Amino acid sequence: MPVVLLVVSLASGGCSICGPDQHAITTASPNNLILDDGSGSRQVQYVNTRLTEPPATHDQFQFTFNTLEGQANGEGVALSFNGTDAGTMETVTLVLALPVALRQGDNYAIGSTFSVEVGSASETGFWGQHDLVQSNKADVAFVIAKYTFPPPEYAVQFRAVSSSGTVHVVSRTAGHVELALNLSFTDANGNVRTLTGNAQADTEKRAALCN
């Protein structure tokens, strides 16, 4: 009788045995970041990225996810924020590499500037474990590029080679962090851009769908 009931259940209601929860990471700016190039300020809109595994590698994704969940391990974690300059329609990419502790109230000065390749399939350096130049400070990468399609190409208009400012941890709970940014960037030609506003990162957990 138990075997018969199981067969009837499978036939009528579908499989009740599902796989592991599905995980994702989202980064966003609740009120849009503000970009200033010296001639005026503009919003950075559509700052909303959702990361899954794949396309992220297992190591990239798991390290980032576990850090946001509160499982501090290693030294630094990289988080990426991407949006669109409301005035020029250029893509704006910011990567923050922060101490894994991410305690509410922490204030991180900028320690170093690194470089990332916008549009690269691997997105090396955009997410996951990051060895900080100074363990109690943040490292940053910042690129503004013009996107054209087809074929998909990014023409870099501004790439930071030095940076200053602070990242403040406004709120922190398991699976969530909100940051207040007050950043200044300089490129190889001496041009300056500032970026201010709040950004956040969150984990997502969803039950796997049954077949």
Side-chain angles (χ1 to χ4, degrees):
M1 180 64 72
V3 174
V4 173
L5 290 176
L6 176 60
V7 171
V8 171
S9 175
L10 291 175
S12 61
C15 176
S16 60
I17 302 173
C18 301
D21 288 350
Q22 302 300 301
H23 292 170
I25 297 165
T26 59
T27 58
S29 176
N31 301 304
N32 294 324
L33 299 172
I34 301 298
L35 177 68
D36 196 318
D37 61 3
S39 63
S41 59
R42 301 182 296 274
Q43 289 187 338
V44 180
Q45 300 177 326
Y46 315 117
V47 183
N48 195 343
T49 299
R50 188 171 188 270
L51 181 71
T52 59
E53 176 197 346
T57 67
H58 178 75
D59 288 345
Q60 280 178 325
F61 184 87
Q62 286 302 129
F63 187 89
T64 309
F65 188 92
N66 291 341
T67 299
L68 290 173
E69 286 287 296
Q71 303 171 35
N73 184 28
E75 186 175 78
V77 60
L79 303 169
S80 294
F81 302 87
N82 302 284
T84 302
D85 183 324
T88 65
M89 302 310 294
E90 295 167 334
T91 62
V92 178
T93 299
L94 170 70
V95 184
L96 298 174
L98 305 169
V100 294
L102 288 175
R103 291 180 294 263
Q104 184 166 318
D106 278 358
N107 212 45
Y108 303 124
I110 303 305
S112 181
T113 305
F114 63 100
S115 183
V116 292
E117 290 304 319
V118 178
S120 65
S122 64
E123 290 198 344
T124 301
F126 283 72
W127 305 93
Q129 191 164 7
H130 182 99
D131 293 329
L132 298 169
V133 173
Q134 299 180 62
S135 61
N136 62 340
K137 294 186 177 182
D139 295 346
V140 296
F142 183 73
V143 181
I144 299 173
K146 185 175 182 180
Y147 175 75
T148 56
F149 179 87
E153 293 182 344
Y154 289 87
V156 173
Q157 309 297 305
F158 180 99
R159 184 188 299 277
V161 296
S162 64
S163 310
S164 61
T166 57
V167 178
H168 177 70
V169 183
V170 176
S171 65
R172 179 74 166 108
T173 55
H176 167 81
V177 64
E178 183 172 354
L179 310 165
L181 312 181
N182 186 3
L183 305 171
S184 178
F185 307 98
T186 305
D187 72 3
N189 297 316
N191 300 308
V192 176
R193 301 288 187 273
T194 62
L195 190 70
T196 56
N198 284 23
Q200 65 186 44
D202 296 274
T203 60
E204 289 183 10
K205 301 175 185 177
R206 297 181 180 178
L209 297 176
C210 298
N211 294 324

